């Protein structure tokens, strides 16, 4: 019928019947098994033969599961081992519990008439503690904070100072103390024992013997061979030097020293670094790493740079192996103020006519410091005409500088001054309309434009000083790399040891104190 649709369920489909005579027996059996539904839906066709067959199958499966159920039995675990007499006594002695809460018997007990309150709580016979010396702290104050009386703390500090200056005890030093029983509750505890590592090469132990503290110095062998580290730069200098054992501070100092002589970017991967630092190590294993002593750079098997720190005219600086010191280029500003008047012709603010202004004026507040632009010797320091309070320096090579209108002079004639040293203070002395600095530069006695001059300072070693300098380089470079890490032979100890603080505490506890 046109315009209508028909629907057919799969259960309503008519199976295609084959000719029975044309099928073999196994094909017929396969078709029957394919049509057999072993697990029918028990929610439909209730009461039919197919439904009863499915119910029987379900009952058979449930019965098989129940018949083969293994059951639930408790798993027996091993019990706690019984304590023998020795273990029980040890566990019992470690119990900390009052009798009222059962103590070691488990029986709770109430107070009886025999219980009397304590008038005073009992004190510990000894107290063991460790105190640490802080920055800006004193040895006596540390003892007082630990509970030692002021008089005894001062006496102990004086006794320790006979072995080592108290100022040499470094901050962070740990001091072990044993405080004994005090005679009265209002009195501080006495010191029964004291032990400390006063220096890298010295340990101090004190013990109360016969009513007084006996001090014993224990020397510790210390090797002060400088630590030399040498290796190839490779992919990275810092990483290579750290892998070789160089301290980070030493590497940074080495880079700063070498960087003043050549660009650090110019260091090649094939170059070798040579670092020597001040190094001390004790037989007990502690080490102290000091400052950089020598900085070297080797290229092609030959030294390219050899730098050693040396004192020249009371000032430490780095010198090359030839004896030439580090270069200080350019002059510093004589004061922090801004330039208020330049070099050249101008109308004088007081005299009222045009004349040559032979320097540069720097403004600044009254009393602001005035600095030496570079090293030199004071040739004039005093009142000088229109300059007022005036200082003149001679820098050698025909160069000199002048500083005028000061309020106060801080140097004297004939004195040697260094770059950046204070010469005086800004004022308005002489022909001046207000506080400022008049700064001049002289070449062969004639004033020149200060802005056109740049001073360069370079120290030079000569004679015996140069010979001593080179001998020191040979001494340091003769050290084998890693020689400072060889084992140390300990010093012989004088007399019997006083023992550790634990030994002291045990002895005094045994005496019944």
């Amino acid at each position: 019928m046109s315009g209508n649709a028909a629907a057919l369920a799969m259960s309503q489909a008519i199976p295609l019947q084959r000719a029975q005579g044309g099928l073999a027996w196994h094909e017929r059996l396969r078709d029957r098994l394919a049509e057999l539904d072993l697990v029918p839906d028990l929610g439909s066709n209730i009461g039919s033969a197919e439904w009863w067959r499915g119910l029987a199958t379900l009952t058979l499966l449930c019965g098989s599961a129940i018949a083969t159920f293994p059951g639930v039995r408790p798993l027996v675990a091993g019990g706690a081992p019984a304590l023998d007499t020795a273990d029980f006594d040890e566990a019992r002695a470690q119990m900390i519990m009052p009798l009222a809460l059962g103590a070691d018997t488990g029986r709770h007990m109430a107070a009886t008439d025999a219980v009397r309150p304590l008038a005073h709580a009992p004190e510990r016979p000894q107290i063991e503690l460790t105190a640490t010396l802080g920055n800006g702290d004193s040895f006596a104050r540390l003892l007082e904070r630990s509970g030692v009386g002021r008089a005894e703390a001062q006496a102990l500090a004086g006794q320790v100072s006979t072995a080592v200056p108290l100022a040499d005890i470094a901050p962070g030093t740990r001091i072990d103390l044993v405080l004994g029983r005090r005679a009265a509750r209002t009195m501080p505890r006495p010191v029964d024992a004291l032990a400390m590592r006063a220096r890298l090469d010295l340990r101090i132990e004190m013990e109360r013997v016969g009513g007084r503290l006996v001090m014993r110095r224990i020397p510790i062998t210390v090797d002060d061979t400088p630590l030399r580290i040498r290796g190839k730069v490779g992919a990275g200098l810092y990483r290579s030097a750290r892998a070789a054992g160089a301290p980070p501070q030493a590497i940074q100092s080495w880079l700063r020293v070498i960087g003043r002589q050549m660009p650090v970017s110019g260091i090649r991967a094939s170059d070798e670094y040579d670092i020597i630092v001040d190094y001390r190590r004790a037989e007990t294993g502690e080490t102290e790493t000091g400052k950089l002593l020598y900085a070297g750079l080797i290229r092609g098997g030959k030294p390219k740079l050899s730098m050693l720190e040396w004192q020249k005219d009371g000032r430490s600086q780095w010198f090359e192996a030839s004896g030439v010191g580090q270069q200080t280029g350019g002059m510093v500003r004589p004061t922090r103020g801004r330039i208020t008047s330049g070099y050249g012709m101008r109308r004088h603010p007081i005299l009222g006519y045009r004349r040559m202004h032979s320097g540069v004026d720097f403004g600044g507040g009254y009393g602001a410091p005035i600095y030496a632009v570079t090293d030199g010797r004071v040739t004039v320091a005093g009142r000088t005409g229109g300059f007022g309070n005036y200082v003149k320096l001679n820098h050698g090579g025909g160069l000199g500088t002048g500083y005028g209108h000061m309020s106060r002079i801080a140097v004297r004639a004939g004195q040697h001054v260094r770059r950046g040293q204070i010469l005086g203070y800004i004022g308005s002395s002489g022909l001046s309309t207000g506080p400022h600095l008049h700064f001049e530069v002289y070449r062969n006695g004639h004033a020149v434009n200060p802005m056109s001059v740049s001073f360069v300072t370079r120290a030079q070693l000569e004679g015996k000083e140069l010979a001593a300098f080179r001998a020191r380089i040979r001494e340091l470079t003769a050290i084998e790399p890693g020689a400072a890490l060889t084992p140390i032979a300990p010093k012989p100890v004088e007399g019997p040891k006083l023992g550790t603080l634990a030994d002291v505490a045990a002895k005094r506890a045994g005496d019944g104190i």
Side-chain angles (χ1 to χ4, degrees), residues 61-116:
L61 292 175
C62 291
S64 300
I66 294 172
T68 58
F69 181 64
V72 179
R73 297 184 182 90
L75 296 177
V76 179
L83 296 177
D84 56 15
T85 303
D87 293 338
F88 178 76
D89 291 340
E90 181 179 359
R92 182 178 181 181
Q94 294 177 358
M95 296 185 65
I96 301 175
M97 188 179 295
L99 290 174
L101 300 181
D104 58 348
T105 63
R107 298 179 180 178
H108 291 243
M109 303 177 67
T112 64
D113 295 338
V115 176
R116 294 289 184 270

Side-chain angles (χ1 to χ4, degrees), residues 453-493:
V453 177
S454 179
F455 292 107
V456 175
T457 302
R458 184 184 287 270
Q460 177 74 42
L461 300 178
E462 298 176 350
K464 294 182 179 180
E465 193 174 19
L466 179 60
F469 171 79
R470 290 178 174 172
R472 178 59 175 167
I473 289 183
R474 289 192 298 269
E475 179 186 355
L476 289 176
T477 53
I479 300 173
E480 292 294 330
L485 304 179
T486 55
I488 304 175
K491 289 182 180 179
V493 179

Side-chain angles (χ1 to χ4, degrees), residues 12 17 86 88 133 138 147 233 240 260 269 271 277 290 322 338 352 467 471 474 476 483:
Q12 297 173 339
Q17 298 291 332
F88 178 76
L133 188 67
S138 71
V233 174
S240 174
R260 296 192 187 105
D271 292 343
V277 296
S322 60
R338 63 183 181 87
R474 289 192 298 269
L476 289 176

Side-chain angles (χ1 to χ4, degrees), residues 148-172:
V148 182
R150 176 171 298 180
E152 187 174 15
Q154 295 293 338
L156 280 172
Q159 193 171 0
V160 170
S161 64
T162 61
V164 57
L166 298 181
D168 291 351
I169 302 177

Side-chain angles (χ1 to χ4, degrees), residues 37-40 42 49-60:
D37 189 5
L38 296 177
V39 284
L42 297 181
E50 183 180 6
W51 184 86
W52 285 106
R53 180 169 49 80
L55 181 61
T57 303
L58 176 62
T59 304
L60 180 62

